[in-house]
Amino acid sequence: MNITRRRTRRVLIALVIVAGLLLMMWQGAQLARERALTDLHHTAGNALELSRANLTGYLTRHDYLPHLLATRESVRRFLARPEARRDGPALNRLLDSARAYADVSDVYLLDRSGTTIAASNWQRDDTFMGQNYAFRGYYRQAISGRSGRFHALGTQSGARGYYFSAPVWATGQAPDTPPDGVMVVKVGLDEIEREWRNLDATLLVSDINGIVFMASDPALRLSALQPLSESARRGLLATRRYTDEPLPASGLEILQSLPGGARLVRLGGRDYLNLSRPLARFNWSLHILEPLTPVVQAQWLGALGAGGGWMLIALGGAIGWQRRRLRRERERFAERERHTLAHARDELERHVTERTAELVDSNRQLSQEIDERRRAEESLRQTRDELVQAARLAVLGQLAASINHELNQPLGAIRAYADNARVLLQRDRRDDAAANLAQIAELVERMAAISAQLRQFSRKGGETLSDVSVQACFDYALRLFRARLEQADITVVSHMDESTCWVRADSVRLEQVLVNLIGNALQAMNDSAERQLMVAAEQGDEWVILSVADSGPGLSEEALEHLFEPFYTTRAAGKGLGLGLSISQRIVSDLGGRLEARNRAQGGALFVIHLPAAACSQPPETPADV
């Protein structure tokens, strides 16, 4: 009877242990799943916000172009006088040049009826010339006198694009006069989708009808997030927004709605975390699909950790129960020893000693297993932290391409110093070659400092300013152009205060501004008989004034008016993008100062930088010419 009770009790204990193990593993998996979903939600939200800002900036940077072209005198004259239509090839070439300069897909001009009368692709087989686009939304918006925006498939090329349009008045805008034509700019979308493919997640853009217009996965393009009704299909066919595409359902299945607007969805047999953000400016929605692989891995780790903890508790209980049983056995042995013969007592003590040794050995083995499990858990935690850090670095890696422009000039200087060092070594001028190699090492350190700005920005969300020597920044910038100054026989005239001028700035960004200004000055003096580069620094009570001047032809009235606008340049086509001065002005503004430009009375251009020396209030008046 006692044997049966003991067996029943042991079975119940085993069932309790197994049930507790399953419950703890399930609870641990649930807690790990919630935490992993929260982390994945945060990561996906950051990636979605970055992608939304990138897409908005990519599209809106071309918003100005149709308005700019619509005001061109050649375009107005082309619409105003039918006899000017013989200048069509010239206007076509002008539109093609604007297309290449702005890096857009197509630029074309519609007359009042919506027929294309000039186009950048006039020489291609799928040209827009002679095609009527009065059915397009961008034409109807612009012909009513306002700016137009529209996204659709091209009826000629079949390529997706985003269209900007602007009304054109041949004789000047009047409130009661309808436009004489419409200027249209088509922007391609392949470049932004290629950047999306570098992400681990899937990004897609849908319109108000739920049609996927853009996607990092080509298989999802021109599909519907939800099946379309017949009325919606007829409406889309009427506008020919997507021409005759079948627009099949994507197969997206919503599994669960989560707090914060997130959802768990299934697509193509895989489960994802889905977040969406509206793009109100374009009447779109941006979606991100993050795979749930990290969540599944976290669930397994949580279940294993909770199960291990429960087993430790069970092992601790078993040890306690074993010790209690041992103590009771010892008490029984002691009681029996008092009532038995000495031989039986000695025999009993021997058995007790043997059992105790076995228990001590068992306890030692259990302690070793506990230590091994603790080390394994610590290793798992470290591995998880490393995986989270690696994921963060992968997202930040997508931003590294934005500093490519800042590294071009140091790379060119490194190449020049390396070429000079090779020539000097051939001439056995080792000291001079060593000096060039030292310059290369310094440039590499500066490039590393430039790259570190992106890492610091992502970590703190801002730039840290410090005390920077103006003379040292000028010296560094002039060293970059030393070979070019000597080759072009340019004289450098320096007007610096005898004492060091200190400003509150970032040395790398300030040196970049000086390099841009000096490089523009050297470019301006290519055809000048007298070549002088003048640099100056003046210390004030609250401000430090820096200036760079040249002896070139100076700046025209038009250049002075548009000098700091993005993509404006006075150089020949293909010789520059017109971004240097725009970026320099933005850097100086971020440092708390301002950048100005004007012509010198003696001839040539003058650029003046005001930067705070300490706590400042209002910038001082512009100083006299250098």
Side-chain angles (χ1 to χ4, degrees), residues 417 439 442 469-482 485 492 494 496 500 511 514-515 518 535:
Y417 280 128
Q439 292 295 332
E442 180 181 350
S469 168
V470 172
Q471 284 87 340
C473 291
F474 265 117
D475 290 342
Y476 169 75
L478 290 172
R479 283 199 304 271
L480 290 180
F481 293 99
R482 183 171 60 187
L485 290 168
V492 179
S494 177
M496 301 283 181
T500 301
E511 288 165 358
L514 295 178
V515 166
I518 293 174
V535 296

Side-chain angles (χ1 to χ4, degrees), residues 63-83:
D63 196 5
Y64 74 96
L65 187 56
H67 296 277
L68 180 65
L69 294 175
T71 59
R72 293 294 295 265
E73 184 61 30
S74 58
V75 175
R76 291 180 173 180
R77 184 170 59 250
F78 190 79
L79 284 172
R81 294 183 297 175
E83 63 274 10

